[in-house]
Amino acid sequence: MKKLIILFILTSNITLGQTAHLDTSTILIGEQISYTISSKFEKGENFLWPTFNDTLTGGVEIISRKEVDTLINNSTLKISQQFIITSWDSGSYYIKPIAFNSN
């Protein structure tokens, strides 16, 4: 079976921690994997959480998504969201940087 490779990069203009995590970097065509993004913000800081339609990038479809989850710890908020993604074509896919913007 053909495999495809998914690459991702995470960017932000906020100085606390941001992460993106894939279950694996290679999948079989049609296989579903978990993709989770998270970021930490100071309490009271305004931010704009990224939104996605039905794809992360050309060729990488979002099958489902969980609600945005918030964990409060002292003076910080850790916000995360999990997506189930797949692709139906062989090849390598690059997930564009995700911007976590303060507004």
Side-chain angles (χ1 to χ4, degrees), residues 35-81:
Y35 175 67
T36 304
I37 59 173
S38 65
S39 184
K40 291 182 182 176
F41 301 95
E42 293 290 333
K43 271 188 184 176
E45 180 179 4
N46 292 323
F47 62 90
L48 179 62
W49 190 254
T51 57
F52 303 95
N53 293 321
D54 58 350
T55 60
L56 283 180
T57 189
V60 180
E61 295 180 23
I62 296 173
I63 301 298
S64 66
R65 69 190 86 217
K66 290 189 176 181
E67 293 294 320
V68 175
D69 186 33
T70 303
L71 175 65
I72 300 171
N73 184 11
N74 296 325
S75 64
T76 61
L77 302 173
K78 180 180 179 184
I79 302 178
S80 61
Q81 187 171 22

Side-chain angles (χ1 to χ4, degrees), residues 2 12-13 15 17 19-21 25 27 41-42 50 52 54-55 61 69-70 74 76 83-84 88 93-94 100:
K2 291 186 179 181
S12 174
N13 63 351
T15 58
T19 61
H21 174 75
S25 62
I27 64 172
F41 301 95
E42 293 290 333
F52 303 95
D54 58 350
T55 60
E61 295 180 23
D69 186 33
T70 303
N74 296 325
T76 61
F83 302 88
I84 301 300
W88 300 103
Y93 295 93
Y94 172 77
F100 295 87

